[in-house]
Amino acid sequence: MQRVAVAGASGYAGGEVLRLLLAHPDLEVGAVTAGGNAGQPLGSIHPHLTPLADRVLEETTVEVLSDHDAVVLALPHGHSAAIAEQLGDDVVVVDCGADFRLRDAQAWTTFYDTPHAGSWPYGMPELPTDGGKQRDALVGATRIAVPGCYPTAVSLALAPGLAGGVVDPGDITVVAASGTSGAGKSLKPHLLGSEVMGSMSPYGVGGVHRHTPEIEQNLSACGAGPVVVSFTPTLAPMPRGILATGTATVAEGATAAEVRAAWETAYQDEPFVHLLPEGRWPSTSSVVGSNCVHLQVTLDDRVGRVVVVAAVDNLTKGTGGAAVQCLNLALGLPETTGLPLAGIAP
Amino acid sequence: MQRVAVAGASGYAGGEVLRLLLAHPDLEVGAVTAGGNAGQPLGSIHPHLTPLADRVLEETTVEVLSDHDAVVLALPHGHSAAIAEQLGDDVVVVDCGADFRLRDAQAWTTFYDTPHAGSWPYGMPELPTDGGKQRDALVGATRIAVPGCYPTAVSLALAPGLAGGVVDPGDITVVAASGTSGAGKSLKPHLLGSEVMGSMSPYGVGGVHRHTPEIEQNLSACGAGPVVVSFTPTLAPMPRGILATGTATVAEGATAAEVRAAWETAYQDEPFVHLLPEGRWPSTSSVVGSNCVHLQVTLDDRVGRVVVVAAVDNLTKGTGGAAVQCLNLALGLPETTGLPLAGIAP
Amino acid sequence: MQRVAVAGASGYAGGEVLRLLLAHPDLEVGAVTAGGNAGQPLGSIHPHLTPLADRVLEETTVEVLSDHDAVVLALPHGHSAAIAEQLGDDVVVVDCGADFRLRDAQAWTTFYDTPHAGSWPYGMPELPTDGGKQRDALVGATRIAVPGCYPTAVSLALAPGLAGGVVDPGDITVVAASGTSGAGKSLKPHLLGSEVMGSMSPYGVGGVHRHTPEIEQNLSACGAGPVVVSFTPTLAPMPRGILATGTATVAEGATAAEVRAAWETAYQDEPFVHLLPEGRWPSTSSVVGSNCVHLQVTLDDRVGRVVVVAAVDNLTKGTGGAAVQCLNLALGLPETTGLPLAGIAP
Amino acid sequence: MQRVAVAGASGYAGGEVLRLLLAHPDLEVGAVTAGGNAGQPLGSIHPHLTPLADRVLEETTVEVLSDHDAVVLALPHGHSAAIAEQLGDDVVVVDCGADFRLRDAQAWTTFYDTPHAGSWPYGMPELPTDGGKQRDALVGATRIAVPGCYPTAVSLALAPGLAGGVVDPGDITVVAASGTSGAGKSLKPHLLGSEVMGSMSPYGVGGVHRHTPEIEQNLSACGAGPVVVSFTPTLAPMPRGILATGTATVAEGATAAEVRAAWETAYQDEPFVHLLPEGRWPSTSSVVGSNCVHLQVTLDDRVGRVVVVAAVDNLTKGTGGAAVQCLNLALGLPETTGLPLAGIAP
């Protein structure tokens, strides 16, 4: 058993990492730390984690975190670098925050308005890249940046079309609906249950959402040239799940069969990314609690656009599951160890 | 008081028409009819319509319907023509079904696979047309086709950009989320509460949803040339409401201010269609129960697309409220009579 | 038109009062005031109140409130007395807060732990009292205390059994489920959408909820002697609505017919309180947005208990609708003026 | 690995059993059978069970089921006996249906109105009985009747008080809220998402719900004498979870400490039943997906009643998890093998 500490354990991302570690055969929960919630038992913060109910949250310090095989950081962005640089290279660090995701310092500054901390290997193993998969950069890495939830859904949805040359990189639109846990536990009026239930609303419209450059970085790495994306996120009345709908102009001459083949090829050997049989479309309820991505793609001949829909659980494959998948790769375990393939429904 | 019969009163559309008629100062509920539910009291079908609880549903026959100032049809498509042609021209007929919405018989046959019944004046008063508003066709009409719910949201969202020449007609994408009442009361497994709650899923992807030609008919009438639309509807975990997100390539040279002005101009005198102040985005909860449409529009300079979002209540402005608005116009009443401007929230 | 000011207009209770005033034929919205939200337009606080979107919230001061026919107070408890005593007796004051509901100063102090402000006529017209109805105390009153939401559901549910002598006053249990708007807009972690959706949980268990003495005051006034109640409130994953289930030992010798007759007698002439036909049970969705209470009662012979279930909208009949009903009585208008009898469903 | 067949695999109970078997280290999924859905792939019925997506449902026949170590029946009641009697005693049979739960043939006939099939050992290991635990009857059993979902929550909630002599058996009331999956996948109008979302409603009021005699059988076995219960189930707007609130008159002279001690004693060694620390109350979201029961109890001195609240996942501990727990006991595996202690939240 290798021991994993979780920093920022009182948030939703941290809680999900703990849920998955509890079910992991080769990893065990080490220190659990928090900021304002330090000193509280996990039972009052995450009452669903029954086996950890009596564990008390410690302060997030390097001393508490250092004596572990790995540390998962689930902190607000801007806090990861200071901790990571004090943890030795013998400690694997996996960061669920945004700090080390973007390679372009200018893009970081534009969207986050703080200094760029740098970039770490990007933890999306299944992502098609120009001639390979992102997985190659992750095996044995000691620092990994866990992708954002929207970028996970959107990049895995659209990359095969670009990598396979069946869609045009120039005209991509995405509308995605996310459950409310994507916004974290922050106490904002629009996140109250009374406001959320029964309502759909957009936010960050017009290309200003911080996940936009991350999506574009991923899609631009597919070898089809630089990509910009019209990205509209919306808040949906459910706790978990992202449904992302992407459209792109079909490449001239590409047939429906070629379109489908591009997605089949990209994911045929992937344990977590599933192109559904033709005629079946993804639903978020089918992936809640699992590390899977469900996909479907079609060609709308009337308008000449490929339409692809992806469903993921924003907290599992979108955050905590990806973190554990990265831990597996970094720590030399089989990539799928301990990660749920079945969701919980209804 | 003019008397209005409602045929198909046991469905959601019929129930919404009744709710609005109960609050209308100049119209009163006449006969209420149904198919399989005939003989039942409304109290067991629509328990929220307390004042009508003891009214018994009659069979849908011409005899029952004929002795009224107006009849609202809320029947499955394919049933309206036979009834309407037996009701005299002195009886106003407003059809909530699809039968008389499409002017193009070919489009009807392609999407509905039944003979085309013809077309009636299209009941969307606020729709910008080439040089005017659709309202002109409705004042004093004796037959009106009430628009579909998605076409209401999508057409009112996008038409100003086309009518105003600030977006390109060639490359429009729409993703819309609808509450489950849009699917009616039909007993299908995927509409069960257990399946719906906590889940988002797409359907009718790839341009096959029947509302597609209706949207294209409306947008093509704006004077910018024929329009085709990439339209993806999704089912959201809420009973009511549509949130439609449309994007279109900005017309060459059009500025953000010109974009906004196109929407302001289109709706500045409309009582039910509201462009929100800059920075505020629509939410479905803000229009539930009201006849209003809330809109916001922005220009995403990075990708050169205009993004517009509309929220409507699919049962009110999307069906029953539009029906009453059409009744008002047909019966010579002020257009807004009896129609709620405020929604119910939270 | 008489003018009504609303103090505390940015909360859910204030918003509901405004929604109902907008639909009222004889009352108009005067000043709207707030605390921390003063200076903001209503459109950013209550976007569903489209006709008031540009109205700006003023500070809650006596000067702003005084020049009206009536003032509705929707403030946190403890703030009403200071304002009310500075408003002349020519201004009707209706208080949605708890301050003036309890006649027993000792009960107030026990449950609220602040000095007792006194008591005003209790604004539940339909409540059976020993030999009459509470309505008699309200006609022409200048100060009225609007009941709490749970007490509305629970008292109207159980009082007929006590007033009619068909249940024993000694052994009453109540479990009630409330939508989240009952907890107001306060920013507490357990009220976040992510926490609320998909979850039921109890709170204030063991007789400590502040609505307990108010329920007992109401039931003790039925003439059957002092009543204590085992009251357990629970939070349900919905924005609005209360479903209250009460049980009481049937009085010795009382038959099922006599039990039913007690409820029929109590409410046969009441416009807003409806005993449903036998076999139909209330649902909260049937009363959302309306001022109605739906009730059903049965005798469980096996255990010798009467079981009664009531559904109300906590914000309408449970708060804002009751406030307007009280305004009507105080201002000499017909009691039902402007109040919705039909709810909005689905 | 021992092989387990699941009959009735297309329903919610069957799906949950499959979900848990997929995570079980010592059991594997054998045949999966259905009635009307035979011939369909599981991927179109339970899309969340990704690893089983291509498995095709077979007809439910003895031939298909017989060659397994164990068979789980998840059939409508009335169908289990005919299958079970044809399966040899070397095949463990665990029945999720009601057929073999009641020992009293008269109670069966009264509530189910069909002939009594008999009774099997009752699969609730943790249930306090007169002097022991129900577990003793289950180790090595070859036929086990899985308890109903409400009886699981209610019996585990109340039994310690009766077994410990701290509550009176004569006056017990229960109100329970269940998620909609408790009603199964049957296509009934009141189970549609549009009807369910945003609504609470009671059903089976007055002691007529079929789980009533099962609850009474369990509580009567605690040694405090025959028990009858006032039981009111309600439908809540969530897919999973039961929150049961029980009250009982405190035994004369019993103190709050003695009350708490009764529950502590009953469950101190139970892995799945957890009395929460004082001051924390259960929520259904804390047990969704887990096999745990969360409990809290208090004494309401003012009214002399003990109030106890239990939360369970109706599909996990309430059905499928209990079935797997029974399989473990019957097949000689450690009782907790493969069963989740942590839920999934938010």
Side-chain angles (χ1 to χ4, degrees), chain C residues 15-276:
Chain C
E16 183 72 352
V17 171
L18 290 174
R19 180 180 79 88
L20 295 167
L21 290 176
L22 281 171
H24 199 291
D26 300 321
L27 301 177
E28 66 179 350
V29 176
V32 288
T33 78
N37 290 311
Q40 292 207 49
L42 270 176
S44 66
I45 302 287
H46 294 305
H48 63 296
L49 302 177
T50 303
L52 299 174
D54 297 331
R55 292 282 295 270
V56 176
L57 287 158
E58 301 179 76
E59 293 281 351
T60 302
T61 65
V62 172
E63 290 66 40
V64 169
L65 299 173
S66 57
D67 187 25
H68 293 81
D69 298 290
V71 173
V72 177
L73 303 177
L75 306 168
H77 72 83
H79 292 71
S80 298
I83 291 172
E85 64 194 22
Q86 295 182 67
L87 292 168
D89 277 356
D90 56 326
V91 181
V92 165
V93 181
V94 166
D95 184 14
C96 295
D99 300 36
F100 294 98
R101 290 180 197 154
L102 296 187
R103 289 187 294 273
D104 179 346
Q106 176 63 46
W108 175 271
T109 308
T110 302
F111 280 84
Y112 290 86
D113 202 21
T114 58
H116 186 223
S119 72
W120 289 352
Y122 187 73
M124 192 183 289
E126 307 89 345
L127 185 69
T129 54
D130 191 7
K133 283 287 177 78
Q134 177 63 14
R135 178 174 289 112
D136 306 334
L138 302 172
V139 179
T142 59
R143 295 290 183 272
I144 299 181
V146 177
C149 51
Y150 282 123
T152 298
V154 175
S155 306
L156 293 173
L158 286 164
L162 293 161
V166 297
V167 304
D168 198 275
D171 184 32
I172 295 177
T173 71
V174 177
V175 176
S178 174
T180 53
S181 63
K185 264 190 191 174
S186 43
L187 294 176
K188 297 176 182 164
H190 77 285
L191 296 178
L192 285 174
S194 298
E195 303 292 319
V196 159
M197 289 185 282
S199 192
M200 295 279 307
S201 55
Y203 61 104
V205 190
V208 303
H209 191 284
R210 285 170 168 171
H211 283 172
T212 310
E214 188 180 338
I215 292 168
E216 293 175 348
Q217 171 178 286
N218 294 344
L219 297 182
S220 296
C222 290
V227 172
V228 291
V229 174
S230 165
F231 173 54
T232 307
T234 66
L235 192 67
M238 55 191 191
R240 285 182 181 233
I242 288 177
L243 189 82
T245 303
T247 78
T249 305
V250 65
E252 202 177 327
T255 66
E258 288 164 345
V259 166
R260 186 166 185 82
W263 270 263
E264 283 177 339
T265 303
Y267 298 130
Q268 61 193 351
D269 296 326
E270 289 297 342
F272 294 124
V273 187
H274 297 265
L275 180 66
L276 298 181

Side-chain angles (χ1 to χ4, degrees), chain B residues 120-162:
Chain B
W120 289 351
Y122 186 74
M124 193 183 288
E126 307 89 345
L127 186 70
T129 55
D130 192 6
K133 283 286 176 81
Q134 177 64 13
R135 176 174 289 114
D136 306 334
L138 302 172
V139 180
T142 60
R143 295 290 183 273
I144 299 181
V146 177
C149 51
Y150 282 124
T152 298
V154 175
S155 306
L156 293 174
L158 286 164
L162 294 160

